[in-house]
Amino acid sequence: MPLRNISWESFKNMCPEDKARYLKEGKLFHVLLAQQFSRENLDKLGMLATHIRRIAKEKEGLIFLQELLRHKRAMLYFSQPSTRTFLSFCAACQILGISIGEVRDTSTSSELKGESQEDSVRTFSSYFDIIIMRSQIGGLAERMAWVLSNSERPVPIINAGSGKDQHPTQALLDIYTLQRSFEKRGGIDGKTIVFVGDLLRGRTVRSLSILLRYYKDVKQIFVAPPQLQVAQDIMDILTASKVSFELSSDFEKVIPRADAIYMTRIQDEWDSEKGESARIDTSKYWFTARHLSLLKSDAVIMHPLPRRNEISTEVDHDPRAVYWRQMRNGMWIRTALIATIFGQDQVILNYQGNN
Ligand code: ASP
């Protein structure tokens, strides 16, 4: 059981790389940080997700999947807004036959009466077999994972987005999208990935940038207004891993070099004062129909969504715009992740169907 043999104080103060070492103990259990995954995990999860989506196409296949975890219950504890992550986790659970409970508005739970989040999560663990949680508090999922690991009912916690910090399962679906997009082009190795927008506060960028380290000769280019440029800790991680990266504020110049452009929205919910981000001219960082001609013919445009005006809707019809596909990939990779946590990966891979 990960996190059982360490005090909270020691764990809390570790760097993410060291934390990840604890999470890698034994089989996959808590999913908290991008750092806990390896290239091998990513390849396996991608393969499993593709296998699951093929099986689910046939009614018999879907029935087989829905029988696998019918005896399990999942709690979705989302105290921060979510559409795709929440619904794709719901759908992933349904594909595996898992029944679902949810708290999305803590003003309807006993947290309004002053109950701590720790006590809420311990309560969930009494009724459910896995807790999938999103919170505006960075590091809360880690704390809850530690609390449960050290309780008499340790159940896995999946971090579905924590503060400005990490969104590891979004990074998994982003990697899966890149794997599929570059399937016939030698995979992710050697590609140039361009991140655009609010790179300072976008947690999806942080988690994906960390996972991309596992691929050979990948170049990461961060394009943002100086005030929203990627944080120093990510640059330090990339430098320590000898990853080639560049910072830029000239979007148009970078577009022709991209194999994938990863657009993001301005995360103004984190502004320290109202209107802070609105004062920054971000329009130079919008992808419009005009930019399509600058982009390689086989490049892809991604976005974790929701979008505002950073990708114009005219771009949606271009075959290189893969953000809707990316979103669907989230359901399959999350299904693969949950199946793996509950030890069903090999059972699924062995399934032959009627062919
Ligand atoms: N949906 C993503 C997240 O939860 C991206 C965003 O909100 O901009 O971080």
Side-chain angles (χ1 to χ4, degrees):
M1 169 61 46
L3 307 187
R4 201 164 245 183
N5 299 317
I6 183 163
S7 72
W8 169 244
E9 280 305 313
S10 316
F11 183 70
K12 186 178 77 176
N13 295 323
M14 280 177 183
C15 69
E17 220 58 65
D18 288 344
K19 285 180 178 168
R21 237 167 267 143
Y22 278 86
L23 298 170
K24 285 185 204 161
E25 272 172 21
K27 66 180 204 51
L28 186 64
F29 195 74
H30 300 302
V31 174
L32 305 177
L33 301 165
Q35 282 89 341
Q36 74 186 86
F37 291 95
S38 63
R39 171 78 182 256
E40 196 194 345
N41 291 149
L42 299 177
D43 291 346
K44 275 194 186 155
L45 282 170
M47 190 179 69
L48 183 62
T50 300
H51 205 73
I52 291 171
R53 74 202 295 167
R54 278 201 210 111
I55 296 176
K57 280 201 177 109
E58 302 289 333
K59 187 174 173 185
E60 292 70 33
L62 192 56
I63 292 170
F64 156 77
L65 292 169
Q66 286 173 338
E67 282 301 321
L68 291 176
L69 293 168
R70 272 177 87 84
H71 56 304
K72 298 290 182 192
R73 292 179 296 276
M75 176 65 195
L76 284 99
Y77 174 43
F78 275 56
S79 57
Q80 201 190 23
S82 174
T83 304
R84 275 151 291 272
T85 306
F86 180 82
L87 291 176
S88 66
F89 266 118
C90 285
C93 288
Q94 285 158 351
I95 291 167
L96 294 167
I98 301 174
S99 28
I100 302 165
E102 62 174 76
V103 167
R104 298 198 70 181
D105 175 1
T106 49
S107 70
T108 64
S109 81
S110 283
E111 282 182 32
L112 192 74
K113 300 180 193 166
E115 183 162 65
S116 68
Q117 284 137 334
E118 275 181 32
D119 286 0
S120 293
V121 167
R122 286 197 71 150
T123 306
F124 303 149
S125 74
S126 303
Y127 305 135
F128 294 92
D129 303 292
I130 185 166
I131 298 168
I132 301 161
M133 63 179 283
R134 164 172 288 200
S135 166
Q136 56 276 43
I137 304 171
L140 188 67
E142 289 174 22
R143 167 79 188 156
M144 296 309 156
W146 184 88
V147 167
L148 291 188
S149 279
N150 290 283
S151 74
E152 68 285 2
R153 222 185 117 70
V155 306
I157 295 260
I158 299 183
N159 175 3
S162 53
K164 289 179 273 189
D165 172 34
Q166 284 240 8
H167 195 345
T169 68
Q170 174 74 41
L172 293 178
L173 77 90
D174 293 337
I175 288 288
Y176 183 46
T177 302
L178 291 168
Q179 286 170 347
R180 288 175 73 78
S181 303
F182 300 141
E183 209 169 12
K184 298 196 179 89
R185 291 177 56 202
I188 301 174
D189 295 331
K191 301 293 183 293
T192 296
I193 315 296
V194 175
F195 293 97
V196 189
D198 189 341
L199 311 183
L200 180 65
R201 304 174 294 184
R203 56 193 175 191
T204 69
V205 170
R206 295 171 57 79
S207 294
L208 178 56
S209 173
I210 289 166
L211 289 191
L212 284 170
R213 289 179 307 163
Y214 303 139
Y215 294 86
K216 265 192 244 119
D217 302 324
V218 164
K219 171 137 212 148
Q220 302 191 28
I221 306 182
F222 299 98
V223 184
Q227 306 90 316
L228 300 176
Q229 193 45 277
V230 73
Q232 188 61 45
D233 66 328
I234 293 293
M235 291 197 269
D236 292 344
I237 291 172
L238 298 182
T239 306
S241 314
K242 300 195 170 46
V243 171
S244 163
F245 69 92
E246 277 173 37
L247 306 187
S248 170
S249 52
D250 191 344
F251 187 30
E252 291 208 353
K253 197 163 161 208
V254 168
I255 293 174
R257 296 171 61 196
D259 293 298
I261 297 207
Y262 192 93
M263 300 297 297
T264 62
R265 105 188 136 82
I266 303 303
Q267 313 274 315
D268 48 15
E269 64 270 40
W270 298 109
D271 282 358
S272 46
E273 59 179 271
K274 210 172 155 21
E276 189 190 11
S277 323
R279 286 196 287 277
I280 304 172
D281 178 13
T282 54
S283 60
K284 285 201 294 180
Y285 306 91
W286 294 354
F287 194 103
T288 66
R290 193 167 62 80
H291 295 119
L292 286 169
S293 61
L294 300 176
L295 191 64
K296 284 184 193 169
S297 58
D298 52 4
V300 291
I301 308 162
M302 297 168 68
H303 195 308
L305 302 176
R307 78 166 146 194
R308 290 179 185 159
N309 32 22
E310 60 278 356
I311 301 185
S312 77
T313 51
E314 294 158 272
V315 174
D316 294 4
H317 307 291
D318 191 280
R320 292 167 290 181
V322 298
Y323 26 93
W324 303 112
R325 236 181 287 160
Q326 180 185 352
M327 182 181 90
R328 271 194 306 284
N329 287 339
M331 175 176 81
W332 298 116
I333 203 79
R334 286 173 172 133
T335 309
L337 182 73
I338 295 171
T340 304
I341 291 172
F342 286 118
Q344 296 302 307
D345 38 342
Q346 204 48 52
V347 182
I348 295 173
L349 291 173
N350 291 343
Y351 177 80
Q352 297 295 329
N354 295 327
N355 319 319

